[in-house]
Amino acid sequence: MHIHGLIEDSASLANLCTRLAQQPFITVDTEFMRENTFWPELCLIQIADTNEAAAIDPMAPGLDMTPLLDLLVNNEEVLKVFHAGGQDIEIVYNLTGKTPHPLFDTQVAAMALGQGEQIGYSNLVETYLGITVDKGARFTDWSRRPLDKRQIDYAIADVTHLSAIFPKMLEKLRKTGRGAWLDEEMERIADPENYRNDPDQAWQRIRVSSRKADVLGRLKALAAWREKEAQGKNLPRGRIVKDETIADLAANPPRKQGDLTRVRGLSASWGGNDIGGRLMAALEGATAMSASEMPARDDRKLPLGKEGALVADLLKLLLKIRARDINVAARLLARSDDLEALAAGQRDGLAILQGWRFEQFGRDALALVEGQLGFTVRNGKLKMTRTEQPQE
């Protein structure tokens, strides 16, 4: 494989993207910094096919990134391969308003192949290639220039290894017939709604016990205010106000700005400064949450009672058995809240009762709660056994 030097000019990048656009797949990774910012600061992009690989410096003066971004979000003929690519995809979305498509995530695929719930990149490389990844540059400050050769080599290795792993993984998926299982998962990962940052929806990230419309209305207003402050200042949300303080202010709103001096988690200076004034303006402009916006009571969270909790435990046991028998990560088959919902009597809208999940697990789960399936021990191994009739 030909490894290019660090690409810092528009002509070299355009030529590289023209060649990569002719390939069936490319592997993609990014290096970024976000510890002290709201928006992740893109510092490096690594990209490869089976013939060549390069690291691209998005911080290079005058670099036109258009050909690369077009390749990632507008070229439907080239599959984009990531490993645990959520944050990489978020960065591309922030730059373009679109997500890479079509895409493939090797961490999710590894779950379908029984290689763990969240296999790390280093373990994936060792499993498929027998190579121990050099982790010496993990804690690099990728925003500092110049980058030395060791840093660039470390970054490029992520995509060169991935370009060798992906075909091997794809062949395993074909042999097991599990490739189709992943189509829904990859489309879910690629859904732009996962990465859209709407300040009016920011309240949904904050845990609050109250279901009072006035409290939730204040929570929504305060969360939107904080989101805009954080974005405008490019600071992490918690550097503006922590979640627990937002929740406390929503439940116990101060009457005047001076009262902010007594709010735990806020600086006393907020009692008279501009940011405190903006917080109070957000509170004063808050209205009770409308009935249409009120969060629905989640049937999955309804109290199960002692018997229902035991049924949920049996479903979790069944999940472990089934995941073991077909050698797939249990997390890919079902989530705990789906199992609890099924135990509580819910049937509609559950992923485990649809598509391949129903065929591989949901049918048995349904049979268990309806008394048509039980457990037995044979030769020291826990097995499922069917009954002729539903048990009374």
Side-chain angles (χ1 to χ4, degrees), residues 209-241:
S209 58
S210 177
R211 285 185 52 83
K212 294 180 179 179
D214 59 337
V215 173
L216 292 178
R218 289 191 292 268
L219 182 71
K220 178 181 177 181
L222 287 170
W225 163 79
R226 182 183 66 170
E227 202 75 1
K228 293 170 185 175
E229 290 279 344
Q231 291 178 11
K233 292 179 169 62
N234 197 22
L235 289 173
R237 296 178 185 93
R239 296 272 187 93
I240 305 296
V241 186

Side-chain angles (χ1 to χ4, degrees), residues 313-324:
D313 287 341
L314 287 176
L315 285 169
K316 291 171 186 177
L317 177 59
L318 175 64
L319 176 63
K320 289 181 180 180
I321 295 172
R322 188 60 179 149
R324 178 201 67 191

Side-chain angles (χ1 to χ4, degrees), residues 43-323:
C43 302
L44 203 66
I45 303 174
Q46 306 92 269
I47 195 163
D49 60 12
T50 55
N51 303 311
E52 58 183 324
I56 300 145
D57 184 2
M59 302 174 70
L63 181 68
D64 181 6
M65 296 271 288
T66 304
L68 176 60
L69 297 176
D70 281 346
L71 174 63
L72 292 176
V73 302
N74 293 328
N75 189 323
E76 291 284 324
E77 302 302 317
V78 179
L79 180 68
K80 294 83 180 180
V81 180
F82 298 83
H83 180 78
Q87 294 191 89
D88 305 314
I89 296 165
E90 177 193 357
I91 288 172
V92 175
Y93 177 83
N94 289 341
L95 291 171
T96 65
K98 300 179 181 179
T99 57
H101 192 272
L103 66 76
F104 184 94
D105 192 307
T106 53
Q107 187 178 73
V108 176
M111 293 169 68
L113 294 171
Q115 293 167 337
E117 300 282 327
Q118 287 183 303
I119 187 171
Y121 175 74
S122 298
N123 290 337
L124 190 77
V125 172
E126 190 161 355
T127 298
Y128 279 88
L129 304 180
I131 296 172
T132 301
V133 174
D134 176 10
K135 300 180 181 179
R138 278 185 304 169
F139 301 110
T140 286
D141 180 350
W142 294 102
S143 66
R144 296 186 65 179
R145 295 295 185 271
L147 296 171
D148 62 35
K149 184 177 185 301
R150 184 188 181 196
Q151 291 171 317
I152 297 171
D153 289 348
Y154 167 87
I156 290 180
D158 286 349
V159 289
T160 57
H161 293 332
L162 209 55
S163 68
I165 290 169
F166 171 66
K168 296 176 182 290
M169 182 171 277
L170 196 60
E171 183 60 26
K172 279 193 172 186
L173 288 168
R174 285 172 177 155
K175 286 181 178 178
T176 58
R178 296 180 179 181
W181 294 10
L182 298 174
D183 291 344
E184 179 183 335
E185 290 301 301
M186 301 308 173
E187 288 302 311
R188 181 187 60 80
I189 294 169
D191 185 352
E193 286 301 307
N194 294 327
Y195 311 97
R196 188 166 70 91
N197 201 300
D198 183 355
D200 285 338
Q201 301 303 317
W203 66 274
Q204 297 179 6
R205 300 190 189 97
I206 302 173
R207 292 186 178 183
V208 62
S209 58
S210 177
R211 285 185 52 83
K212 294 180 179 179
D214 59 337
V215 173
L216 292 178
R218 289 191 292 268
L219 182 71
K220 178 181 177 181
L222 287 170
W225 163 79
R226 182 183 66 170
E227 202 75 1
K228 293 170 185 175
E229 290 279 344
Q231 291 178 11
K233 292 179 169 62
N234 197 22
L235 289 173
R237 296 178 185 93
R239 296 272 187 93
I240 305 296
V241 186
K242 294 188 180 301
D243 282 2
E244 53 266 32
T245 304
I246 292 281
D248 184 47
L249 287 166
N252 305 285
R255 294 184 178 181
K256 58 184 184 299
Q257 186 175 347
D259 294 341
L260 294 177
T261 61
R262 296 190 294 273
V263 175
R264 184 177 179 181
L266 297 184
S267 167
S269 64
W270 282 42
N273 64 12
D274 289 345
I275 193 169
R278 293 193 295 273
L279 184 154
M280 290 303 298
L283 270 177
E284 290 163 5
T287 57
M289 186 168 285
S290 66
S292 63
E293 278 192 293
M294 288 287 288
R297 291 190 182 277
D298 192 346
D299 290 339
R300 303 179 187 194
K301 301 302 181 184
L302 290 176
L304 290 172
K306 292 182 179 180
E307 296 302 318
L310 289 173
V311 174
D313 287 341
L314 287 176
L315 285 169
K316 291 171 186 177
L317 177 59
L318 175 64
L319 176 63
K320 289 181 180 180
I321 295 172
R322 188 60 179 149

